[in-house]
Structure formats: structure tokens, C-alpha cells
Amino acid sequence: MQSRTLPVPDGLDGARVDAALAKMLGFSRTFAADVADAGGVRQDGRELGKSDRLRGGAWLEVSWRPKEEPVVVPMAVPDLGVVFDDDEFVVIDKPAGVAAHPSLGWEGPTVLGALAAAGFRITTSGAAERQGVVHRLDVGTSGLMVVAKSERAYTALKHAFKEREVEKIYHAVVQGHPDPLTGTIEAPIGRHPSHSWKFAVVPDGKESVTHYETLEAFPGASLLEIHLETGRTHQIRVHMAAHRHPCAGDPLYGADPTLSARLGLTRQWLHARQLAFSHPATGEWVQFSSDYPADLAHALEVLRAD
């Protein structure tokens, strides 16, 4: 167990506990929230929660167990598909229920663990638990993801994603009918002010741009094609929910449980459909696509039958 006792700087007067700990002690905001949830934060002797506010000049006592760094554990994922593989990178078709890489609190399968179990050798570039990962998909999102196998590919692909030189196309079924049927959502995204696992449109968030087009309209729902200009965590889910059209099957962002049950959905209807970028070695423009998995295809059949 580690602990620190220190005064709250006047500049953090009124700051949330999790945000303040991140600044004062260098914690991630998620870890800071976990410390508070475990009863490890006291201000002038009174225990605080993660969303409580600090008082400038007060004495803060913080106690925590150092977090164990996540490691890649080889674990076979039989339904993870390999779409393309060469010396530079591998493109996989990720099923829902698989995380991109290990993280604290996640004990399920990961893309990196599945690749390790299948004998793939991935570049050592990047943090130990995220080696080769140049972008991520949510656990509940299926579809295309590229992982670098060489240092050259890691550097080139990280740059391409950062500079918005990668074409990322998703398909999503959302509740209702967006108005207009084709449009662009530009709204900054950051951590949700009162929920440590959610994100939200917030004034001080990062620039986020989502382009969408309605492909099909059904009673009470729409199939959209979405082009991501930026790549924020939960971006599509947050932007669509903010416009009152959450992804079907996504209770975290307000999906109707009745519709989810009727469609047989146990996760958000969101699929990384197409991915295209310049090959790191040849410069050739390469494109990949993925079909809908069975659960999403079934939900569409139900909607089309209405």
C-alpha cells in the first residue's frame, strides 16, 4: 500500500477528486476514480468519492495499491478472422466481446492475445500491453482492425491515423431517423462528468467529427454508413446518442431495451465495415471490408420484416 499526504493547491479548489488526483499524482483518471471508490481518498479526515469536490488549502490523504501492469496472455479466439497478413501488418475481423489489448479489470480475450496464441509475431513498438496497436475498437464493436507487425508499419500507421489519412467506414443501426438523413456531427468529446466509464459531448473535449449517411430507414430505426474523420473513444456512440439517436442495443448510451430485445441484441449494432490506408512499405492504397456478423445480420432481418 502506498500513501501521500499533501495540501490541495488553491488552483484545484472545486475540482473533482478523480480529475484532481490525475493532475496532482499523475494517475490516469480511471485509476484515480478506482482509488476513490476503494475509500482511499480523505480530505481533512473525511472520506471522499470520485465526484466530490476538493477545497483549496485542505489536507488530502491518498492511499492506494500500486496497479499491476496488464500483460498479453495468449488466448485463442476461434471466430477472430484474418483478412490480410504480410510482413508489415495484419488486418483482423474482430468479433464482439474481444478487447483490442489487455487493460486493468479486463479478464476476457484480446486481439493481441488471440494473435499471440495463433503464432503471430507483432512489433515491440508501443507500450508493452499495446504493442503493435495503432487504433482500437470497443469490446462490443465488431469489424476490421489493423495491427502492426513491423516497426516501420507501426510508425507509418500511427502517423496515418493521427493525420486522418486512413479511411474508416462503419455501419450502425440507430434508433429513429436522423434529420437531416445525411450530415456531419462536430462536437467535442471528453470523459463524462459523472460516470468514469462513459464519454460525452463536453465543452472542453477533443475535436470530434462524424459524417453519416442513411442507407435504409425502418419503422423506428435507421441503418447508417458512418465515416470517421477523428477517432475518439466511443465517438460514434456518443455523437449519435447526443443527437437522440443512440445505437440500437447500446444501454450505456440510452438505447431502448425493448427494441434491443426485439432485435435480439446483446451489444451495440456497430460494425467496422471498411478500412483503407497506404501500405507502409509500398505506398499502395489498400482496402479491406468485412461482412456483418450473425447477430447484426439477424437484427437487420427483423427490421426489414417489419
Side-chain angles (χ1 to χ4, degrees):
M1 183 71 76
Q2 294 185 6
S3 62
R4 289 279 303 276
T5 300
L6 65 170
V8 176
D10 290 339
L12 291 179
D13 181 59
R16 279 175 55 109
V17 166
D18 50 3
L21 290 185
K23 293 179 179 179
M24 296 168 69
L25 299 177
F27 294 163
S28 70
R29 188 157 171 179
T30 298
F31 182 66
D34 290 342
V35 170
D37 286 341
V41 182
R42 303 180 75 86
Q43 179 176 253
D44 289 342
R46 184 175 70 87
E47 185 176 309
L48 299 181
K50 63 188 176 188
S51 60
D52 287 336
R53 303 287 173 170
L54 296 184
R55 189 175 68 257
W59 279 94
L60 200 64
E61 303 168 63
V62 186
S63 301
W64 71 95
R65 292 188 183 279
K67 63 180 181 180
E68 297 178 1
E69 293 301 322
V71 295
V72 175
V73 177
M75 183 184 300
V77 178
D79 52 347
L80 182 142
V82 176
V83 177
F84 178 85
D85 176 38
D86 69 3
D87 291 338
E88 300 293 332
F89 60 86
V90 57
V91 176
I92 61 98
D93 198 344
K94 187 186 84 67
V98 179
H101 57 73
S103 60
L104 289 172
W106 176 253
E107 297 181 354
T110 66
V111 168
L112 294 187
L115 292 175
F120 285 84
R121 299 188 65 179
I122 304 302
T123 178
T124 56
S125 298
E129 77 281 8
R130 296 194 299 272
Q131 289 177 347
V133 173
V134 294
H135 72 126
R136 294 176 289 182
L137 295 179
D138 297 341
V139 170
T141 299
S142 53
L144 297 172
M145 182 175 158
V146 59
V147 179
K149 295 174 67 177
S150 70
E151 184 175 347
R152 170 170 58 185
Y154 181 83
T155 301
L157 289 172
K158 286 287 282 188
H159 177 79
F161 275 95
K162 180 179 179 181
E163 298 301 317
R164 307 179 187 180
E165 297 168 353
V166 176
E167 184 178 76
K168 299 171 287 184
I169 298 177
Y170 291 73
H171 282 189
V173 168
V174 303
Q175 295 176 193
H177 307 112
D179 182 15
L181 295 178
T182 298
T184 296
I185 301 172
E186 295 186 59
I189 291 176
R191 288 196 174 275
H192 194 283
S194 60
H195 193 302
S196 58
W197 298 107
K198 289 178 67 173
F199 289 78
V201 171
V202 292
D204 58 347
K206 295 181 179 179
E207 178 197 13
S208 306
V209 183
T210 301
H211 307 282
Y212 70 88
E213 175 185 356
T214 301
L215 299 180
E216 292 185 65
F218 316 102
S222 303
L223 173 64
L224 307 183
E225 180 166 286
I226 295 173
H227 293 243
L228 282 187
E229 188 171 319
T230 52
R232 309 304 177 202
T233 302
H234 297 185
Q235 179 173 323
I236 294 172
R237 300 164 67 189
V238 170
H239 271 175
M240 297 317 301
H243 281 250
R244 296 185 173 85
H245 298 290
C247 292
D250 189 3
L252 185 64
Y253 288 102
D256 178 3
T258 303
L259 177 63
S260 303
R262 186 164 67 84
L263 299 182
L265 290 172
T266 58
R267 52 101 169 194
Q268 65 265 17
W269 205 115
L270 182 59
H271 186 68
R273 178 77 161 170
Q274 297 176 45
L275 188 63
F277 49 84
S278 295
H279 193 289
T282 67
E284 176 189 3
W285 186 251
V286 290
Q287 296 176 291
F288 308 97
S289 62
S290 166
D291 293 333
Y292 302 144
D295 61 336
L296 303 190
H298 169 75
L300 270 184
E301 290 175 3
V302 174
L303 287 169
R304 286 169 176 158
D306 285 348

CSV table of all heavy atoms in Angstrom, one decimal, residues 83 91-96 135-138 140-146 161 167-172 224-226 228 236 267-276 288-293 296:
chain,number,residue,atom,x,y,z
A,83,VAL,N,-8.1,-11.2,-42.2
A,83,VAL,CA,-8.5,-10.7,-43.5
A,83,VAL,C,-7.3,-10.5,-44.4
A,83,VAL,O,-7.3,-10.8,-45.6
A,83,VAL,CB,-9.2,-9.3,-43.4
A,83,VAL,CG1,-9.6,-8.8,-44.7
A,83,VAL,CG2,-10.5,-9.5,-42.5
A,91,VAL,N,-4.5,-7.5,-40.8
A,91,VAL,CA,-5.8,-7.0,-40.6
A,91,VAL,C,-6.7,-8.1,-40.1
A,91,VAL,O,-6.8,-9.2,-40.8
A,91,VAL,CB,-6.4,-6.4,-42.0
A,91,VAL,CG1,-7.8,-5.9,-41.8
A,91,VAL,CG2,-5.5,-5.2,-42.4
A,92,ILE,N,-7.4,-7.9,-39.0
A,92,ILE,CA,-8.3,-8.9,-38.5
A,92,ILE,C,-9.7,-8.4,-38.5
A,92,ILE,O,-10.0,-7.2,-38.5
A,92,ILE,CB,-7.8,-9.3,-37.1
A,92,ILE,CG1,-7.9,-8.1,-36.1
A,92,ILE,CG2,-6.4,-9.9,-37.1
A,92,ILE,CD1,-9.1,-8.1,-35.2
A,93,ASP,N,-10.6,-9.4,-38.5
A,93,ASP,CA,-12.1,-9.2,-38.3
A,93,ASP,C,-12.4,-9.5,-36.9
A,93,ASP,O,-12.5,-10.7,-36.6
A,93,ASP,CB,-12.8,-10.0,-39.4
A,93,ASP,CG,-14.2,-9.5,-39.6
A,93,ASP,OD1,-14.7,-8.7,-38.8
A,93,ASP,OD2,-14.8,-9.9,-40.6
A,94,LYS,N,-12.6,-8.5,-36.1
A,94,LYS,CA,-12.7,-8.8,-34.6
A,94,LYS,C,-14.2,-9.1,-34.3
A,94,LYS,O,-15.1,-8.3,-34.6
A,94,LYS,CB,-12.3,-7.5,-33.8
A,94,LYS,CG,-12.3,-7.7,-32.3
A,94,LYS,CD,-12.0,-6.4,-31.6
A,94,LYS,CE,-13.2,-5.6,-31.4
A,94,LYS,NZ,-14.2,-6.2,-30.5
A,95,PRO,N,-14.4,-10.2,-33.6
A,95,PRO,CA,-15.8,-10.4,-33.1
A,95,PRO,C,-16.1,-9.5,-31.9
A,95,PRO,O,-15.2,-9.0,-31.2
A,95,PRO,CB,-15.8,-11.9,-32.7
A,95,PRO,CG,-14.4,-12.2,-32.4
A,95,PRO,CD,-13.5,-11.3,-33.3
A,96,ALA,N,-17.4,-9.3,-31.6
A,96,ALA,CA,-17.7,-8.6,-30.4
A,96,ALA,C,-17.3,-9.5,-29.2
A,96,ALA,O,-17.2,-10.7,-29.2
A,96,ALA,CB,-19.2,-8.4,-30.3
A,135,HIS,N,-4.8,1.5,-33.5
A,135,HIS,CA,-6.1,2.0,-33.3
A,135,HIS,C,-6.9,0.9,-32.6
A,135,HIS,O,-6.5,-0.2,-32.5
A,135,HIS,CB,-6.8,2.5,-34.6
A,135,HIS,CG,-7.3,1.3,-35.4
A,135,HIS,ND1,-8.5,1.1,-35.9
A,135,HIS,CD2,-6.6,0.3,-35.9
A,135,HIS,CE1,-8.6,0.0,-36.6
A,135,HIS,NE2,-7.4,-0.5,-36.7
A,136,ARG,N,-8.1,1.3,-32.0
A,136,ARG,CA,-8.8,0.3,-31.3
A,136,ARG,C,-10.3,0.3,-31.7
A,136,ARG,O,-10.8,1.2,-32.2
A,136,ARG,CB,-8.7,0.6,-29.8
A,136,ARG,CG,-7.3,0.5,-29.2
A,136,ARG,CD,-7.3,0.9,-27.7
A,136,ARG,NE,-7.4,2.4,-27.6
A,136,ARG,CZ,-7.4,3.0,-26.4
A,136,ARG,NH1,-7.2,2.3,-25.3
A,136,ARG,NH2,-7.5,4.3,-26.4
A,137,LEU,N,-10.9,-0.9,-31.4
A,137,LEU,CA,-12.4,-1.0,-31.4
A,137,LEU,C,-12.9,-1.3,-30.0
A,137,LEU,O,-12.2,-2.0,-29.3
A,137,LEU,CB,-12.8,-2.1,-32.4
A,137,LEU,CG,-12.5,-2.0,-33.9
A,137,LEU,CD1,-13.0,-3.2,-34.6
A,137,LEU,CD2,-13.1,-0.7,-34.4
A,138,ASP,N,-14.1,-0.8,-29.7
A,138,ASP,CA,-14.7,-1.1,-28.4
A,138,ASP,C,-14.9,-2.6,-28.3
A,138,ASP,O,-15.0,-3.3,-29.3
A,138,ASP,CB,-16.0,-0.4,-28.2
A,138,ASP,CG,-15.9,1.1,-28.2
A,138,ASP,OD1,-14.8,1.6,-28.0
A,138,ASP,OD2,-16.9,1.7,-28.5
A,140,GLY,N,-17.5,-4.2,-27.5
A,140,GLY,CA,-18.8,-4.6,-28.1
A,140,GLY,C,-18.9,-4.2,-29.5
A,140,GLY,O,-20.0,-4.5,-30.1
A,141,THR,N,-17.9,-3.7,-30.2
A,141,THR,CA,-17.9,-3.4,-31.6
A,141,THR,C,-17.2,-4.4,-32.4
A,141,THR,O,-16.0,-4.8,-32.1
A,141,THR,CB,-17.3,-2.0,-31.9
A,141,THR,OG1,-18.1,-1.0,-31.1
A,141,THR,CG2,-17.4,-1.6,-33.3
A,142,SER,N,-17.8,-4.9,-33.5
A,142,SER,CA,-17.1,-5.9,-34.3
A,142,SER,C,-16.5,-5.2,-35.6
A,142,SER,O,-16.8,-4.1,-35.9
A,142,SER,CB,-18.1,-7.0,-34.7
A,142,SER,OG,-19.3,-6.3,-35.3
A,143,GLY,N,-15.7,-6.0,-36.3
A,143,GLY,CA,-15.2,-5.5,-37.6
A,143,GLY,C,-13.7,-5.4,-37.7
A,143,GLY,O,-13.0,-6.0,-36.9
A,144,LEU,N,-13.3,-4.5,-38.6
A,144,LEU,CA,-11.9,-4.5,-39.0
A,144,LEU,C,-11.0,-3.7,-38.1
A,144,LEU,O,-11.3,-2.6,-37.7
A,144,LEU,CB,-11.8,-3.9,-40.5
A,144,LEU,CG,-12.5,-4.7,-41.5
A,144,LEU,CD1,-12.6,-3.9,-42.8
A,144,LEU,CD2,-11.9,-6.0,-41.8
A,145,MET,N,-9.8,-4.3,-37.9
A,145,MET,CA,-8.8,-3.6,-37.1
A,145,MET,C,-7.4,-4.1,-37.6
A,145,MET,O,-7.2,-5.2,-38.0
A,145,MET,CB,-8.9,-4.1,-35.6
A,145,MET,CG,-8.0,-3.4,-34.6
A,145,MET,SD,-8.4,-4.0,-32.9
A,145,MET,CE,-6.8,-3.6,-32.2
A,146,VAL,N,-6.5,-3.1,-37.7
A,146,VAL,CA,-5.2,-3.4,-38.2
A,146,VAL,C,-4.2,-3.4,-37.1
A,146,VAL,O,-4.2,-2.5,-36.2
A,146,VAL,CB,-4.7,-2.4,-39.3
A,146,VAL,CG1,-4.7,-1.0,-38.9
A,146,VAL,CG2,-3.4,-2.8,-39.9
A,161,PHE,N,-3.1,7.4,-38.9
A,161,PHE,CA,-4.3,7.6,-38.1
A,161,PHE,C,-4.4,9.0,-37.5
A,161,PHE,O,-5.4,9.7,-37.5
A,161,PHE,CB,-4.4,6.5,-37.0
A,161,PHE,CG,-5.0,5.2,-37.5
A,161,PHE,CD1,-4.2,4.2,-37.9
A,161,PHE,CD2,-6.4,5.1,-37.5
A,161,PHE,CE1,-4.8,3.0,-38.4
A,161,PHE,CE2,-7.0,3.9,-37.9
A,161,PHE,CZ,-6.2,2.9,-38.4
A,167,GLU,N,-9.0,5.8,-44.2
A,167,GLU,CA,-10.5,5.8,-44.4
A,167,GLU,C,-11.1,4.7,-43.5
A,167,GLU,O,-10.8,3.5,-43.6
A,167,GLU,CB,-10.8,5.5,-45.9
A,167,GLU,CG,-12.3,5.6,-46.2
A,167,GLU,CD,-12.5,5.3,-47.7
A,167,GLU,OE1,-12.5,4.1,-48.1
A,167,GLU,OE2,-12.8,6.3,-48.4
A,168,LYS,N,-12.0,5.2,-42.6
A,168,LYS,CA,-12.6,4.3,-41.6
A,168,LYS,C,-14.1,4.4,-41.9
A,168,LYS,O,-14.7,5.5,-41.6
A,168,LYS,CB,-12.3,4.7,-40.2
A,168,LYS,CG,-10.8,4.6,-39.9
A,168,LYS,CD,-10.5,5.2,-38.5
A,168,LYS,CE,-10.6,6.7,-38.6
A,168,LYS,NZ,-10.2,7.4,-37.3
A,169,ILE,N,-14.8,3.4,-42.3
A,169,ILE,CA,-16.2,3.4,-42.6
A,169,ILE,C,-16.9,2.3,-41.7
A,169,ILE,O,-16.5,1.2,-41.6
A,169,ILE,CB,-16.5,3.0,-44.0
A,169,ILE,CG1,-15.9,4.1,-44.9
A,169,ILE,CG2,-18.0,3.0,-44.3
A,169,ILE,CD1,-16.1,3.9,-46.4
A,170,TYR,N,-17.9,2.8,-40.9
A,170,TYR,CA,-18.6,1.9,-40.0
A,170,TYR,C,-20.1,1.9,-40.5
A,170,TYR,O,-20.6,2.8,-41.2
A,170,TYR,CB,-18.6,2.5,-38.6
A,170,TYR,CG,-17.3,2.4,-37.9
A,170,TYR,CD1,-16.3,3.3,-38.3
A,170,TYR,CD2,-17.1,1.6,-36.8
A,170,TYR,CE1,-15.1,3.3,-37.6
A,170,TYR,CE2,-15.9,1.5,-36.2
A,170,TYR,CZ,-14.9,2.4,-36.6
A,170,TYR,OH,-13.6,2.3,-35.9
A,171,HIS,N,-20.8,0.8,-40.2
A,171,HIS,CA,-22.2,0.8,-40.3
A,171,HIS,C,-22.8,0.7,-38.9
A,171,HIS,O,-22.3,0.0,-38.1
A,171,HIS,CB,-22.7,-0.4,-41.2
A,171,HIS,CG,-22.5,-0.2,-42.6
A,171,HIS,ND1,-22.9,-1.0,-43.6
A,171,HIS,CD2,-21.8,0.8,-43.3
A,171,HIS,CE1,-22.6,-0.6,-44.8
A,171,HIS,NE2,-21.9,0.5,-44.7
A,172,ALA,N,-23.9,1.4,-38.7
A,172,ALA,CA,-24.6,1.4,-37.4
A,172,ALA,C,-26.1,1.4,-37.6
A,172,ALA,O,-26.6,2.1,-38.5
A,172,ALA,CB,-24.2,2.6,-36.6
A,224,LEU,N,-27.2,3.3,-40.9
A,224,LEU,CA,-26.3,4.4,-41.3
A,224,LEU,C,-25.0,3.9,-41.8
A,224,LEU,O,-24.4,2.9,-41.2
A,224,LEU,CB,-26.1,5.4,-40.2
A,224,LEU,CG,-27.3,6.0,-39.4
A,224,LEU,CD1,-26.8,7.0,-38.4
A,224,LEU,CD2,-28.3,6.6,-40.4
A,225,GLU,N,-24.4,4.6,-42.8
A,225,GLU,CA,-23.0,4.5,-43.1
A,225,GLU,C,-22.3,5.7,-42.5
A,225,GLU,O,-22.7,6.8,-42.7
A,225,GLU,CB,-22.7,4.4,-44.6
A,225,GLU,CG,-21.2,4.2,-44.9
A,225,GLU,CD,-21.0,3.8,-46.4
A,225,GLU,OE1,-21.3,2.6,-46.7
A,225,GLU,OE2,-20.6,4.7,-47.2
A,226,ILE,N,-21.2,5.4,-41.7
A,226,ILE,CA,-20.5,6.5,-41.0
A,226,ILE,C,-19.1,6.5,-41.3
A,226,ILE,O,-18.4,5.5,-41.3
A,226,ILE,CB,-20.7,6.3,-39.5
A,226,ILE,CG1,-22.2,6.4,-39.1
A,226,ILE,CG2,-19.9,7.2,-38.7
A,226,ILE,CD1,-22.5,6.0,-37.7
A,228,LEU,N,-15.6,8.2,-40.1
A,228,LEU,CA,-15.0,8.9,-39.0
A,228,LEU,C,-13.8,9.7,-39.5
A,228,LEU,O,-12.9,9.2,-40.1
A,228,LEU,CB,-14.5,7.9,-38.0
A,228,LEU,CG,-15.5,7.2,-37.0
A,228,LEU,CD1,-14.8,6.4,-36.0
A,228,LEU,CD2,-16.4,8.3,-36.4
A,236,ILE,N,-18.7,7.3,-32.2
A,236,ILE,CA,-20.0,7.1,-32.9
A,236,ILE,C,-21.1,7.0,-31.9
A,236,ILE,O,-22.2,7.7,-32.0
A,236,ILE,CB,-20.0,5.9,-33.8
A,236,ILE,CG1,-19.0,6.1,-35.0
A,236,ILE,CG2,-21.4,5.6,-34.4
A,236,ILE,CD1,-18.7,4.9,-35.8
A,267,ARG,N,-25.5,-6.3,-27.6
A,267,ARG,CA,-24.4,-5.3,-27.7
A,267,ARG,C,-24.9,-4.3,-28.7
A,267,ARG,O,-25.9,-4.5,-29.4
A,267,ARG,CB,-23.1,-5.9,-28.0
A,267,ARG,CG,-23.1,-6.9,-29.3
A,267,ARG,CD,-22.6,-6.2,-30.5
A,267,ARG,NE,-22.4,-7.2,-31.6
A,267,ARG,CZ,-21.7,-6.9,-32.7
A,267,ARG,NH1,-21.1,-5.7,-32.8
A,267,ARG,NH2,-21.5,-7.7,-33.7
A,268,GLN,N,-24.1,-3.2,-28.8
A,268,GLN,CA,-24.5,-2.1,-29.8
A,268,GLN,C,-24.4,-2.6,-31.2
A,268,GLN,O,-23.5,-3.4,-31.6
A,268,GLN,CB,-23.6,-0.9,-29.6
A,268,GLN,CG,-22.1,-1.1,-29.9
A,268,GLN,CD,-21.3,-1.4,-28.7
A,268,GLN,OE1,-21.9,-1.8,-27.7
A,268,GLN,NE2,-20.0,-1.2,-28.8
A,269,TRP,N,-25.3,-2.2,-32.1
A,269,TRP,CA,-25.3,-2.5,-33.5
A,269,TRP,C,-24.3,-1.6,-34.1
A,269,TRP,O,-24.7,-0.5,-34.6
A,269,TRP,CB,-26.7,-2.4,-34.2
A,269,TRP,CG,-26.9,-3.3,-35.4
A,269,TRP,CD1,-27.7,-4.3,-35.5
A,269,TRP,CD2,-26.2,-3.1,-36.7
A,269,TRP,NE1,-27.6,-4.8,-36.8
A,269,TRP,CE2,-26.7,-4.1,-37.5
A,269,TRP,CE3,-25.2,-2.3,-37.1
A,269,TRP,CZ2,-26.2,-4.3,-38.8
A,269,TRP,CZ3,-24.7,-2.5,-38.4
A,269,TRP,CH2,-25.2,-3.4,-39.3
A,270,LEU,N,-23.1,-2.0,-34.2
A,270,LEU,CA,-22.0,-1.1,-34.7
A,270,LEU,C,-20.9,-2.0,-35.2
A,270,LEU,O,-20.4,-2.9,-34.5
A,270,LEU,CB,-21.5,-0.2,-33.6
A,270,LEU,CG,-20.4,0.8,-34.0
A,270,LEU,CD1,-20.9,1.7,-35.1
A,270,LEU,CD2,-19.9,1.6,-32.8
A,271,HIS,N,-20.5,-1.8,-36.5
A,271,HIS,CA,-19.6,-2.7,-37.2
A,271,HIS,C,-18.6,-1.9,-38.0
A,271,HIS,O,-19.0,-1.0,-38.8
A,271,HIS,CB,-20.4,-3.6,-38.1
A,271,HIS,CG,-19.6,-4.7,-38.7
A,271,HIS,ND1,-19.0,-5.7,-38.0
A,271,HIS,CD2,-19.2,-4.9,-40.0
A,271,HIS,CE1,-18.3,-6.5,-38.8
A,271,HIS,NE2,-18.4,-6.1,-40.0
A,272,ALA,N,-17.3,-2.1,-37.8
A,272,ALA,CA,-16.3,-1.5,-38.6
A,272,ALA,C,-16.2,-2.2,-40.0
A,272,ALA,O,-15.6,-3.3,-40.1
A,272,ALA,CB,-14.9,-1.6,-37.9
A,273,ARG,N,-16.9,-1.6,-40.9
A,273,ARG,CA,-17.2,-2.2,-42.2
A,273,ARG,C,-16.0,-2.2,-43.2
A,273,ARG,O,-15.8,-3.2,-43.9
A,273,ARG,CB,-18.4,-1.5,-42.8
A,273,ARG,CG,-18.9,-2.0,-44.2
A,273,ARG,CD,-19.6,-3.3,-44.1
A,273,ARG,NE,-20.5,-3.5,-45.3
A,273,ARG,CZ,-21.1,-4.7,-45.5
A,273,ARG,NH1,-21.0,-5.7,-44.7
A,273,ARG,NH2,-21.8,-4.8,-46.6
A,274,GLN,N,-15.4,-1.0,-43.3
A,274,GLN,CA,-14.3,-0.9,-44.3
A,274,GLN,C,-13.1,-0.1,-43.7
A,274,GLN,O,-13.3,0.7,-42.8
A,274,GLN,CB,-14.8,-0.2,-45.5
A,274,GLN,CG,-15.9,-0.9,-46.3
A,274,GLN,CD,-16.4,0.0,-47.5
A,274,GLN,OE1,-15.6,0.5,-48.2
A,274,GLN,NE2,-17.7,0.0,-47.6
A,275,LEU,N,-11.9,-0.5,-44.2
A,275,LEU,CA,-10.7,0.2,-43.7
A,275,LEU,C,-9.8,0.3,-44.9
A,275,LEU,O,-9.6,-0.7,-45.6
A,275,LEU,CB,-10.1,-0.7,-42.6
A,275,LEU,CG,-8.9,-0.1,-41.8
A,275,LEU,CD1,-9.3,1.1,-41.0
A,275,LEU,CD2,-8.4,-1.2,-40.9
A,276,ALA,N,-9.2,1.5,-45.1
A,276,ALA,CA,-8.3,1.7,-46.2
A,276,ALA,C,-7.2,2.6,-45.8
A,276,ALA,O,-7.4,3.6,-45.1
A,276,ALA,CB,-9.0,2.2,-47.4
A,288,PHE,N,-9.9,-2.9,-47.3
A,288,PHE,CA,-10.4,-4.2,-46.8
A,288,PHE,C,-11.9,-4.0,-46.4
A,288,PHE,O,-12.3,-2.8,-46.0
A,288,PHE,CB,-9.6,-4.6,-45.6
A,288,PHE,CG,-8.1,-4.6,-45.8
A,288,PHE,CD1,-7.3,-3.5,-45.5
A,288,PHE,CD2,-7.5,-5.7,-46.5
A,288,PHE,CE1,-5.9,-3.5,-45.8
A,288,PHE,CE2,-6.1,-5.7,-46.8
A,288,PHE,CZ,-5.4,-4.6,-46.4
A,289,SER,N,-12.6,-5.0,-46.4
A,289,SER,CA,-14.0,-4.9,-46.0
A,289,SER,C,-14.4,-6.2,-45.2
A,289,SER,O,-13.8,-7.2,-45.2
A,289,SER,CB,-14.9,-4.8,-47.2
A,289,SER,OG,-14.8,-6.0,-48.0
A,290,SER,N,-15.5,-6.0,-44.4
A,290,SER,CA,-16.0,-7.1,-43.5
A,290,SER,C,-17.5,-7.2,-43.6
A,290,SER,O,-18.2,-6.2,-43.6
A,290,SER,CB,-15.6,-6.8,-42.1
A,290,SER,OG,-16.3,-7.6,-41.2
A,291,ASP,N,-18.0,-8.4,-43.7
A,291,ASP,CA,-19.4,-8.7,-43.7
A,291,ASP,C,-20.0,-8.6,-42.3
A,291,ASP,O,-19.3,-8.7,-41.3
A,291,ASP,CB,-19.8,-10.1,-44.2
A,291,ASP,CG,-19.4,-10.2,-45.7
A,291,ASP,OD1,-19.4,-9.2,-46.4
A,291,ASP,OD2,-19.1,-11.3,-46.1
A,292,TYR,N,-21.3,-8.3,-42.2
A,292,TYR,CA,-21.9,-8.3,-40.9
A,292,TYR,C,-21.9,-9.7,-40.2
A,292,TYR,O,-22.1,-10.7,-40.8
A,292,TYR,CB,-23.4,-7.9,-41.0
A,292,TYR,CG,-23.7,-6.6,-41.6
A,292,TYR,CD1,-24.8,-6.5,-42.4
A,292,TYR,CD2,-22.9,-5.5,-41.5
A,292,TYR,CE1,-25.1,-5.3,-43.1
A,292,TYR,CE2,-23.2,-4.3,-42.1
A,292,TYR,CZ,-24.3,-4.2,-42.9
A,292,TYR,OH,-24.6,-3.0,-43.5
A,293,PRO,N,-21.6,-9.7,-38.9
A,293,PRO,CA,-21.7,-11.0,-38.2
A,293,PRO,C,-23.1,-11.4,-38.0
A,293,PRO,O,-24.1,-10.6,-38.2
A,293,PRO,CB,-21.0,-10.7,-36.8
A,293,PRO,CG,-21.1,-9.2,-36.7
A,293,PRO,CD,-21.1,-8.6,-38.1
A,296,LEU,N,-25.8,-9.2,-35.9
A,296,LEU,CA,-26.2,-7.9,-36.6
A,296,LEU,C,-27.0,-8.2,-37.8
A,296,LEU,O,-28.0,-7.5,-38.1
A,296,LEU,CB,-25.0,-7.1,-36.9
A,296,LEU,CG,-24.0,-6.7,-35.8
A,296,LEU,CD1,-23.0,-5.7,-36.3
A,296,LEU,CD2,-24.8,-6.2,-34.6
